[in-house]
Amino acid sequence: MFNLKHAALAVTASFIAAAPVMAAPVSVASPPPGRALLLIPLTLTKVQDIHFGTIIPSSTTAGFVTINATTGGRTGSAGITLVSTDQGQRGRFAGAGSAGQKVFIDLTPPTELANPAGDKITVIGMTLDGPALRTIAANQSFFVGVGGTIFIDVNQPEGLYSATYDLTADYQ
């Protein structure tokens, strides 16, 4: 029994000693993102949030900021400064179903965005990138873009404003 233990240790030690020397792993300075979107039929999945970007309000003129539902482009009215390094984006959703199936998209926007201090921004409206009634493509998927317009008051207090909205898909 004593010799069997020594033999087992000797075999284990020889495996350890015979292991190749590996170079230390080096990571990429900025890891590249890897993504995949999996869709289950008769579902609706958020791909990205709508974001109005960084905005500087005027001290003399109220204005509007709009995100285009189709292109994701952002525009602002006179008196509003749109910060170019944070341009925002449209909301985007994906769904799946049978090819040729009809789906009705219903959007219920919030009435306002609020920051943690309780300050509010009025949501003028939100839009879809196309008709509410859609036909699912031959590849069995569909995408929905969401845009909107908000009202920025004179001297609007700073802060991160947010709210939620409902988007539903009624498969026909």
Side-chain angles (χ1 to χ4, degrees):
M1 193 76 159
F2 181 73
N3 290 338
L4 187 59
K5 283 184 184 177
H6 281 293
L9 288 175
V11 169
T12 303
S14 69
F15 284 127
I16 292 171
V21 176
M22 302 296 263
V26 177
S27 62
V28 178
S30 176
R35 296 175 23 162
L37 175 61
L38 300 178
L39 297 174
I40 297 171
L42 306 182
T43 62
L44 187 64
T45 302
K46 180 181 74 171
V47 177
Q48 68 185 24
D49 290 321
I50 187 171
H51 174 54
F52 289 92
T54 299
I55 304 158
I56 300 173
S58 170
S59 60
T60 59
T61 307
F64 301 91
V65 175
T66 299
I67 297 290
N68 183 294
T70 302
T71 66
R74 179 176 70 154
T75 57
S77 65
I80 299 296
T81 301
L82 303 176
V83 177
S84 63
T85 55
D86 182 18
Q87 295 185 15
Q89 64 188 19
R90 67 183 173 158
R92 195 144 189 256
F93 295 80
S98 299
Q101 184 177 16
K102 301 284 187 194
V103 60
F104 181 78
I105 307 298
D106 185 38
L107 172 64
T108 306
T111 57
E112 59 193 16
L113 308 178
N115 69 12
D119 302 308
K120 296 178 177 22
I121 292 175
T122 301
V123 175
I124 301 301
M126 292 179 74
T127 58
L128 299 174
D129 64 349
L133 184 61
R134 300 172 185 218
T135 302
I136 298 175
N139 68 6
Q140 300 179 329
S141 68
F142 65 94
F143 291 87
V144 179
V146 177
T149 302
I150 57 175
F151 175 76
I152 307 296
D153 208 352
V154 172
N155 292 319
Q156 183 75 45
E158 70 177 13
L160 180 60
Y161 291 78
S162 64
T164 59
Y165 61 97
D166 291 322
L167 186 75
T168 57
D170 181 16
Y171 290 87
Q172 310 279 307

